[in-house]
Amino acid sequence: MNTLTKQTHATVESLCQHILAFLERFPNELFKSKEMSRRLGVRNENDYRLFKEALRTLQDEKKINRVRGKKYGHLHIPQKLVGVLEVTARGFGIVTIDETNEEIFIREENLEPAMHGDNVEVALLPQSTKQKERGARREGVIEKIIRHGTQTLVGTLERIRKLYFVVPSDKHIAREILIERNQLEGAKENDKVVVEVTAWGKQLQGKVVEVLGHAGEMSAEVRSVARAFNLPSEFPADVLAAAQAGSTMIPQTEIARRLDLRNEVCVTIDPQDAKDFDDAVSLEILPDGNYRLGVHIADVSYYVTEGSALDKEAIKRGTSVYFPNGVIPMLPEHLSNNLCSLRPHEDKLTFSVVMHVTPRGAVNSYEIRESVIRSKRRFTYEQVQQILDSKTSGQQVAKEDESFVGMLVHMHKLSSVLTKKRMREGSVDFDSVEAKFVFDEHGKPVDIIKKIRLDAHRLVEEFMLLANRVVAKHIGFRNKEELPKPFLYRVHDTPDPDRIRELSLFVEKFGFTLNLDSGVSSKELQKLLEQVKGSEVENVINDVALRSMAKAVYSEHNIGHYGLAFDYYAHFTSPIRRYPDLIVHRMLKQYQNGITLQERESIRKRLPFIAKQSSAMERLAMEAERAAIKVVQVEFMKRHIGDEYAAVISGVAAYGVFVEVNDLLVEGLVRVRDMDDDYYLFDEKQYALKGKRTGNQYRLGDAVQVKVVRVNPEQRQIDFLLIHETQPKPKSRNKRIAGSV
């Protein structure tokens, strides 16, 4: 190759690189050769000849795309990724990639035939240089459905002439399922049903497998929640048989090898309607003035052995699910309410954390032992609170409780010290308010009562937090020369700085301050919550702050717990209702009894799956519980159409404002179409709807008076009408709130 040829080759090669870089900047556009050469600065005929040669080279090497009309474009080689599809209420999709958790955006027109929950293969679309530079979310197209996320759906049976369809209750699924007449299984029009999809494609086909009842009836709607979230209604026969095989008699050999605490004064403190008592506490004052605090947890791992039918069912369920009118337990009743439950005056196998705690709340020493206890008393929270209050009210204590008064008073004193210590160290205390339903003899809700967080609740919470922390540190903390022990932690990551900045701007509008000078500090977040306590926007700001946080999850990697400000934390205290606690018990026993490197490696390999499954089932349970609560709220409000309530604006959108009734914690919507006194525009930055003519505005956190006007049980919707439209001015309103703190 002579010198001239070498120079020509180098020039063509250089032009090839320039062409590829140019087309990559505009991945979705096509260019004629003249336009592209002009934009690349090709000036004379000789350079244009070399430019055309470069184009031919790239085309021959299949590095660029040529289409009819002699146009050229970026040749995108699709990158295939696999993940789970979530279809949003607005119609577009998000695919969360399995390996990286990256979220890929899918336009509505690129979704079909995939459905919400499907495991799919996505082909990535090309990104422009500008999109890459600003870190825009990548976009893709559904290429293939690997596995359908659901085989059964819950919905309402409807009929159009002679055709039957099931309209899914899940708003994420906007496609109806065609049902042949011979596949109805006795279902009638407007029945709530479970349908199994038998044919996939543009038109889904299915058959009815269960009739839940008439759509809109509370019992049918609650059952539909359980079915929609695939929560099992009963245990398999082999699991029930394994549970029944457990004996109430504890072998003497088992008692002999354990720490015998049957003579200790242990008590349980639980809700009034509780049947599964999985924790007991004891306390005594030592001669040196320190406390000997015992936290005794039901030893479920003794009855549920690794790999058994009970164990497989427990990990599948992951957690017990609590509905307003019942529970879907993780373990069969014979175990949860009988064998494992720490019922009073019965010998029970436990796992105990016995701690020596100073009057200032520091743990000097501890031991974690398999034990046996005999609870001396079953208290409710209300009973304990009454005893604590009797010291100041002078109220008489029941005779059977007199011997426990001293211990409970000291427990309260210690728990208060632990709370203050935790807050000083940066723990965040989200004091969210919950509601309790009162049902009549027919199972209908007749009242909603705010649950009051008593000192008795805090007492138990603090002791459980301390035991969980001690257990996690016992396993997690190690010397440099020690091998790390595989373990299941409860972790909470630091929040996204952008979301915290948004929270800071949000609370400023109400006259509060979140100091971010030292970064995203949990101490500063706690200071904010203390500021808003007692204000009319306390619930709103608590809710927004909570949504700004990362989600606490289970993990084999310890990153600490941001919300609690703990370096080590695990779940140990509720093995009857949470699978992670059961696993923690097992691992504690293995490490105490001695473990080989091979066994350690086996644990390490299993933990990622257990962590992921437990976290997923916890999220599912929370969503199901929220849906069931909404069903019962709607049923309650059906009887109160026309009633008026004081409320607070809990959300603002272009289509209306969400309001929460103060006394009932029931949320509903005031629709813009019902706000006929003005034309209202949505101000996203101010979290407000503003009247174009009158200047009236409705902002997040505003106090309003509302009337119930519509209730839709099937859609689980409650519509309100604003009947009190006088709004205080922003400045005076902020002063009033800030001054009340």
Side-chain angles (χ1 to χ4, degrees):
M1 187 184 291
N2 59 37
T3 304
L4 182 61
T5 307
K6 282 181 182 178
Q7 288 175 344
T8 303
H9 179 74
T11 307
V12 170
E13 207 170 71
S14 175
L15 280 168
C16 284
Q17 295 304 315
H18 280 87
I19 292 168
L20 288 173
F22 174 80
L23 292 176
E24 192 176 352
R25 284 176 58 206
F26 306 97
N28 301 312
E29 296 182 39
L30 296 172
F31 302 92
K32 287 190 173 181
S33 59
K34 283 284 186 186
E35 181 188 357
M36 200 189 324
S37 66
R38 178 178 54 78
R39 293 179 68 169
L40 282 172
V42 175
R43 301 299 179 198
N44 57 52
E45 190 175 330
N46 185 56
D47 287 346
Y48 184 70
R49 182 181 57 77
L50 294 172
F51 172 78
K52 291 284 285 184
E53 187 179 335
L55 276 180
R56 283 193 297 273
T57 300
L58 290 171
Q59 189 181 337
D60 292 344
E61 293 176 359
K62 297 183 178 178
K63 289 183 178 178
I64 60 172
N65 189 26
R66 185 184 176 187
V67 297
R68 286 181 193 175
K70 294 185 179 179
K71 287 186 176 182
Y72 299 89
H74 174 66
L75 181 63
H76 174 64
I77 302 170
Q79 184 183 348
K80 304 290 179 68
L81 299 171
V82 172
V84 177
L85 171 66
E86 176 190 352
V87 180
T88 68
R90 291 166 63 187
F92 63 83
I94 299 291
V95 174
T96 303
I97 303 307
D98 294 340
E99 293 179 359
T100 63
N101 283 331
E102 181 187 0
E103 294 181 340
I104 307 299
F105 178 80
I106 313 291
R107 295 181 189 274
E108 190 173 358
E109 60 268 25
N110 293 331
L111 280 173
E112 284 195 0
M115 293 190 352
H116 179 75
D118 285 353
N119 195 261
V120 296
E121 186 180 273
V122 178
L124 290 176
L125 294 174
Q127 267 191 319
S128 68
T129 304
K130 284 186 178 180
Q131 286 174 319
K132 287 178 182 177
E133 285 173 354
R134 71 170 190 263
R137 183 155 54 186
R138 295 200 284 179
E139 189 175 334
V141 177
I142 303 292
E143 285 278 298
K144 185 169 69 173
I145 298 168
I146 297 171
R147 185 176 63 256
H148 290 293
T150 182
Q151 300 296 324
T152 59
L153 298 167
V154 174
T156 303
L157 184 67
E158 296 184 1
R159 186 178 69 173
I160 302 175
R161 298 185 179 87
K162 293 183 179 181
L163 293 177
Y164 287 89
F165 295 89
V166 169
V167 179
S169 300
D170 189 342
K171 293 181 177 64
H172 296 101
I173 299 171
R175 300 166 66 193
E176 299 169 341
I177 302 105
L178 177 66
I179 311 291
E180 299 291 341
R181 290 180 69 91
N182 62 351
Q183 301 290 332
L184 289 173
E185 288 295 311
K188 298 179 179 60
E189 190 176 1
N190 290 325
D191 275 352
K192 205 84 174 185
V193 298
V194 180
V195 60
E196 181 185 318
V197 180
T198 55
W200 302 88
K202 287 198 172 180
Q203 175 61 68
L204 300 176
Q205 295 182 46
K207 62 179 181 180
V208 174
V209 293
E210 186 179 0
V211 180
L212 301 173
H214 199 68
E217 290 181 355
M218 192 185 86
S219 57
E221 294 297 333
V222 171
R223 280 197 292 271
S224 77
V225 170
R227 300 299 183 275
F229 285 92
N230 291 315
L231 299 173
S233 56
E234 53 190 38
F235 286 94
D238 61 332
V239 174
L240 286 174
Q244 290 295 331
S247 173
T248 55
M249 296 295 294
I250 303 172
Q252 283 301 316
T253 52
E254 186 62 31
I255 291 175
R257 73 174 198 84
R258 289 176 175 251
L259 180 64
D260 192 342
L261 300 174
R262 287 177 292 177
N263 291 327
E264 297 250 346
V265 181
C266 300
V267 298
T268 60
I269 308 172
D270 291 281
Q272 191 167 0
D273 55 357
K275 294 175 182 174
D276 53 345
F277 315 134
D278 52 12
D279 59 83
V281 289
S282 61
L283 188 77
E284 63 175 297
I285 309 295
L286 298 172
D288 61 3
N290 289 336
Y291 297 97
R292 184 174 183 265
L293 170 65
V295 175
H296 316 282
I297 309 301
D299 189 0
V300 179
S301 62
Y302 175 81
Y303 298 97
V304 181
T305 55
E306 186 175 348
S308 65
L310 281 166
D311 187 45
K312 289 174 183 174
E313 184 68 15
I315 192 170
K316 191 167 86 174
R317 295 179 178 228
T319 180
S320 295
V321 185
Y322 294 89
F323 285 176
N325 57 350
V327 60
I328 300 173
M330 184 180 80
L331 297 171
E333 189 176 317
H334 184 62
L335 276 176
S336 58
N337 296 358
N338 186 5
L339 291 185
C340 298
S341 185
L342 306 182
R343 302 192 300 194
H345 313 301
E346 295 181 13
D347 290 354
K348 293 291 179 179
L349 298 178
T350 47
F351 218 145
S352 295
V353 183
V354 181
M355 298 159 278
H356 286 199
V357 187
T358 70
R360 299 186 67 180
V363 178
N364 275 348
S365 62
Y366 64 86
E367 60 177 337
I368 303 170
R369 294 277 302 276
E370 293 173 84
S371 55
V372 56
I373 71 163
R374 188 178 181 86
S375 172
K376 301 298 186 288
R377 183 81 161 86
R378 184 272 203 231
F379 283 107
T380 66
Y381 288 115
E382 291 74 18
Q383 287 171 328
V384 171
Q385 191 63 45
Q386 193 175 17
I387 290 170
L388 298 177
D389 291 343
S390 70
K391 301 303 290 181
T392 53
S393 68
Q395 189 176 351
Q396 192 69 29
V397 175
K399 191 171 182 62
E400 64 268 25
D401 295 339
E402 287 177 355
S403 61
F404 300 98
V405 172
M407 182 179 77
L408 291 172
V409 169
H410 282 298
M411 283 183 171
H412 177 231
K413 185 179 178 181
L414 175 59
S415 69
S416 299
V417 169
L418 291 171
T419 301
K420 289 173 185 173
K421 182 175 183 291
R422 188 162 56 81
M423 295 303 152
R424 282 197 308 272
E425 292 170 354
S427 195
V428 184
D429 192 18
F430 287 102
D431 201 358
S432 54
V433 185
E434 295 180 33
K436 181 180 180 180
F437 295 91
V438 179
F439 297 93
D440 64 16
E441 65 274 14
H442 305 295
K444 300 289 185 182
V446 292
D447 201 2
I448 304 176
I449 302 169
K450 273 186 182 180
K451 288 183 184 176
I452 300 170
R453 196 176 179 194
L454 304 170
D455 288 341
H457 289 104
R458 288 185 178 275
L459 183 157
V460 174
E461 287 168 11
E462 287 301 336
F463 292 170
M464 298 305 121
L465 286 171
L466 189 62
N468 286 336
R469 188 181 189 181
V470 165
V471 164
K473 191 169 184 179
H474 174 73
I475 296 298
F477 186 79
R478 63 190 178 91
N479 297 321
K480 288 183 179 179
E481 61 272 13
E482 284 184 298
L483 282 172
K485 296 185 183 78
F487 199 59
L488 187 63
Y489 295 94
R490 178 70 169 176
V491 300
H492 187 213
D493 205 351
T494 53
D496 185 310
D498 290 339
R499 300 188 76 170
I500 290 294
R501 277 192 288 272
E502 287 174 13
L503 173 63
S504 178
L505 293 171
F506 170 70
V507 300
E508 275 181 19
K509 299 179 191 301
F510 300 99
F512 302 112
T513 304
L514 175 59
N515 186 351
L516 299 181
D517 291 344
S518 56
V520 188
S521 163
S522 60
K523 282 189 179 181
E524 292 301 329
L525 195 59
Q526 181 57 36
K527 285 179 185 176
L528 169 68
L529 299 182
E530 287 167 3
Q531 286 179 62
V532 305
K533 196 176 281 289
S535 74
E536 61 190 23
V537 290
E538 179 182 0
N539 283 355
V540 171
I541 289 180
N542 263 290
D543 187 52
V544 173
L546 194 57
R547 282 189 270 119
S548 302
M549 298 292 99
K551 295 286 185 289
V553 295
Y554 297 102
S555 176
E556 69 278 18
H557 302 296
N558 181 38
I559 60 169
H561 197 292
Y562 172 84
L564 292 171
F566 291 169
D567 292 331
Y568 299 90
Y569 192 63
H571 273 170
F572 163 81
T573 53
S574 297
I576 289 177
R577 62 183 180 87
R578 289 190 307 225
Y579 191 77
D581 303 54
L582 173 57
I583 285 296
V584 164
H585 280 217
R586 280 204 196 124
M587 287 190 286
L588 282 169
K589 288 183 181 181
Q590 286 175 305
Y591 291 133
Q592 286 180 354
N593 297 333
I595 187 170
T596 65
L597 285 174
Q598 188 176 357
E599 289 170 330
R600 190 187 292 245
E601 184 63 14
S602 175
I603 293 172
R604 189 187 64 77
K605 286 180 179 177
R606 289 190 67 229
L607 279 179
F609 167 74
I610 293 170
K612 188 175 181 180
Q613 168 70 1
S614 299
S615 298
M617 295 312 294
E618 179 187 45
R619 285 194 301 273
L620 186 95
M622 288 174 65
E623 290 173 17
E625 286 166 2
R626 277 198 292 266
I629 287 169
K630 193 67 180 180
V631 167
V632 182
Q633 286 176 336
V634 168
E635 180 67 26
F636 177 81
M637 297 307 284
K638 273 165 60 175
R639 296 167 173 74
H640 294 274
I641 292 176
D643 288 359
E644 298 177 8
Y645 297 97
V648 65
I649 294 178
S650 57
V652 184
Y655 49 84
V657 294
F658 291 92
V659 296
E660 185 179 87
V661 175
N662 295 344
D663 295 330
L664 303 175
L665 302 180
V666 170
E667 191 177 64
L669 179 65
V670 178
R671 298 178 186 274
V672 166
R673 68 178 186 228
D674 292 330
M675 299 167 68
D676 54 8
D677 64 316
D678 202 343
Y679 181 74
Y680 284 91
L681 298 170
F682 178 43
D683 186 335
E684 190 173 0
K685 289 185 178 178
Q686 295 296 321
Y687 305 95
L689 284 180
K690 293 183 177 179
K692 192 172 182 181
R693 178 177 55 82
T694 63
N696 279 351
Q697 64 175 342
Y698 295 97
R699 300 186 307 165
L700 198 62
D702 279 346
V704 290
Q705 198 75 13
V706 295
K707 182 200 290 188
V708 185
V709 290
R710 284 183 296 272
V711 171
N712 186 330
E714 289 182 67
Q715 298 296 320
R716 299 167 195 162
Q717 291 175 345
I718 302 165
D719 284 357
F720 292 98
L721 193 67
L722 289 166
I723 59 171
H724 179 66
E725 301 189 4
T726 305
Q727 294 295 310
K729 292 180 180 179
K731 284 186 179 178
S732 62
R733 179 179 182 281
N734 285 346
K735 282 180 183 175
R736 175 167 55 84
I737 292 172
S740 69
V741 176

